[in-house]
Amino acid sequence: MEIDSIITDVLEEVGNKVAIGLGGMLGCELELPAPTSILLSKKEFFDQSRKKQVMVRLIVSGDHDGYIYVFCRLKDAVHLGGTLIMLPPAELEERVKKEAFGEEEIDSFGEIANIVSGELCSSFEELYPEKLHFKMDGLEALVPSKIKMDAPEPFPPGLYLKAAYPVALDGKALDELVLLFPAALLGITVPEALDLETNPSDDARSTSGRLVNPEEAAALLGELSPDSSSAAGVAVETTSTARPVLPGQPISMGEEPTLAGAEPVILVVAIDGSHGQTISAMINEHGYKATLVDRKENFKDLSKTLSSRVKGLVLVMDEIGEQSFSVAIKVRTAFGESVPLIAAGSQWTRSKVLQAVKYGVCDILVTPASAEEVLEKVEAHFKSVQNVAV
């Protein structure tokens, strides 16, 4: 599939700007000719990158939210970082040989990554029709052979655009510098993906208020047996007993509860829309304590603050896509696999349900949903761990 010329122009400009900005900071002549760009899967990417890598994660905000990833061979990261801090040639050569990537190298390469993110911002602002901002969110060293292709780390499965820049530093060729973009972030789709997403079968098509069990949806594609008790390592409840909700019972839309107190909490994470507030109110009105938080919350800090009080998670979204699943990964990473995670949203398809299961979701709720439907899922997944009388 041919990449849009606007994207290729932007990526070429990124290389030009990084060469100038980073070369000036290093005090060297840096060359980054126009990149080669291809669409590939996570597995295909790591099949092409067998050497140890340093991956920089960049948060994307603006007209679209998500992440992109910058990859540099570990030896080259040590070389560039050592050049930045002006190591003597003999010591630099020794560190590169040993692939020493300690605290000093991490800090110096982080400065390099900040230059790359800044030039990305500048290039997209000048040439790209949508507003996208890039900010570094951390870096780590990876061994490609140890990456699990169906896991959400270091980035989830999916379709990606790989832009690979040949690199030369003072005339010496280094390995490629790679930018990896989720294809959807740049508006890139392929016919196969479109067919799968927009033509779900009757068995998995969304209906307002209908509950869809991910285990059953996965079985439709033959990826899990119908009587399987787990999906992607996460237990899936197949039966539940709904707590009766009286017809016409009022649902409060008042002030959300605070995090004060020591009682167990169900965390409702609102990605977009108003359903998060509605679901949080429903839960609070029926004997549980729910706390509504925004998708931009620092979940790692929140998990430390709440310690082991969070007994259930509800991820609520209008649009089911990469942004939503990236939040699911953050939440799952922060609170661990032992805390049940329900995903609520509209327009579920078989492929999206399967993707949710892979990211640790134990059940699906289609919105808008009634209080009875919400409480049915809360009872099924959270009551045994919540230890709250209802």
Side-chain angles (χ1 to χ4, degrees):
M1 178 180 177
E2 185 176 351
I3 308 300
D4 190 289
S5 59
I6 294 177
I7 297 174
T8 57
D9 288 347
V10 173
L11 294 176
E12 184 172 353
E13 183 64 12
V14 170
N16 293 336
K17 287 182 176 293
V18 170
I20 295 171
L22 185 54
M25 187 172 75
L26 295 174
C28 301
E29 183 181 354
L30 184 66
E31 299 175 44
L32 276 81
T36 57
S37 301
I38 59 170
L39 292 170
L40 39 57
S41 67
K42 178 180 179 179
K43 183 178 186 304
E44 290 169 333
F45 174 77
F46 282 111
D47 283 345
Q48 297 176 5
S49 309
R50 308 310 299 174
K51 298 172 182 177
K52 293 179 183 178
Q53 302 281 319
V54 172
M55 185 194 82
V56 179
R57 183 183 292 103
L58 302 180
I59 296 178
V60 183
S61 59
D63 288 341
H64 302 283
D65 293 338
Y67 293 90
I68 71 165
Y69 310 91
V70 181
F71 284 85
C72 178
R73 186 183 175 188
L74 182 59
K75 283 183 178 291
D76 293 343
V78 176
H79 190 164
L80 292 169
T83 301
L84 177 62
I85 59 177
M86 296 183 288
L87 289 177
E91 184 177 354
L92 176 59
E93 183 178 352
E94 184 66 17
R95 291 196 188 188
V96 171
K97 184 178 179 181
K98 292 182 178 179
E99 296 185 329
F101 198 64
E103 184 175 345
E104 191 173 29
E105 286 78 17
I106 291 172
D107 288 344
S108 59
F109 193 74
E111 292 298 320
I112 291 171
N114 281 326
I115 293 293
V116 174
S117 65
E119 302 302 352
L120 272 163
C121 291
S122 176
S123 299
F124 272 81
E125 182 179 358
E126 291 177 8
L127 300 176
Y128 199 65
E130 296 181 302
K131 293 182 179 179
L132 295 179
H133 181 77
F134 306 88
K135 182 179 179 181
M136 192 178 78
D137 188 44
L139 58 87
E140 60 183 301
L142 301 175
V143 180
S145 62
K146 295 183 178 181
I147 301 298
K148 294 181 179 179
M149 299 306 153
D150 59 348
E153 298 86 15
F155 57 84
L159 181 68
Y160 290 87
L161 172 66
K162 173 187 175 183
Y165 297 82
V167 181
L169 185 66
D170 281 342
K172 179 182 179 181
L174 306 180
D175 270 19
E176 295 173 327
L177 178 71
V178 173
L179 302 182
L180 195 66
F181 297 81
L185 186 74
L186 299 177
I188 301 172
T189 57
V190 294
E192 292 82 2
L194 284 173
D195 289 343
L196 188 60
E197 294 296 326
T198 59
N199 296 310
S201 72
D202 291 338
D203 296 301
R205 187 174 294 117
S206 297
T207 303
S208 178
R210 178 186 168 198
L211 303 175
V212 182
N213 189 292
E215 187 178 65
E216 296 170 355
L220 292 173
L221 296 185
E223 297 198 13
L224 292 171
S225 63
D227 59 351
S228 172
S229 62
S230 65
V234 179
V236 180
E237 299 284 344
T238 56
T239 61
S240 62
T241 303
R243 178 179 183 273
V245 178
L246 298 177
Q249 190 167 5
I251 301 298
S252 171
M253 293 298 291
E255 183 180 354
E256 291 296 326
T258 66
L259 299 182
E263 67 269 43
V265 173
I266 295 173
L267 211 61
V268 179
V269 183
I271 294 182
D272 50 31
S274 61
H275 292 301
Q277 184 180 12
T278 302
I279 289 175
S280 180
M282 288 176 176
I283 294 172
N284 276 309
E285 284 294 308
H286 293 88
Y288 293 84
K289 179 179 176 62
T291 294
L292 181 66
V293 297
D294 185 75
R295 64 180 175 82
K296 296 181 180 180
E297 184 73 42
N298 187 320
F299 295 108
K300 288 184 179 179
D301 288 349
L302 192 59
S303 68
K304 294 177 182 178
T305 301
L306 296 177
S307 185
S308 59
R309 289 174 51 205
V310 176
K311 303 301 182 182
L313 300 157
V314 183
L315 193 67
V316 187
M317 54 216 161
D318 282 350
E319 183 178 347
I320 305 167
E322 291 298 328
Q323 173 185 306
S324 304
F325 290 131
S326 69
V327 177
I329 293 168
K330 285 184 177 181
V331 170
R332 173 57 70 214
T333 301
F335 292 96
E337 295 184 1
S338 63
V339 181
L341 172 62
I342 293 174
S346 60
Q347 301 301 317
W348 287 101
T349 66
R350 289 186 299 170
S351 59
K352 288 177 180 178
V353 169
L354 285 167
Q355 198 171 3
V357 171
K358 289 181 179 180
Y359 296 156
V361 170
C362 70
D363 215 337
I364 300 298
L365 178 66
V366 179
T367 56
S370 68
E372 183 174 5
E373 290 163 339
V374 171
L375 267 294
E376 179 181 358
K377 291 305 177 185
V378 170
E379 292 277 331
H381 298 287
F382 300 157
K383 187 174 181 179
S384 61
V385 293
Q386 184 78 355
N387 195 28
V388 173
V390 294

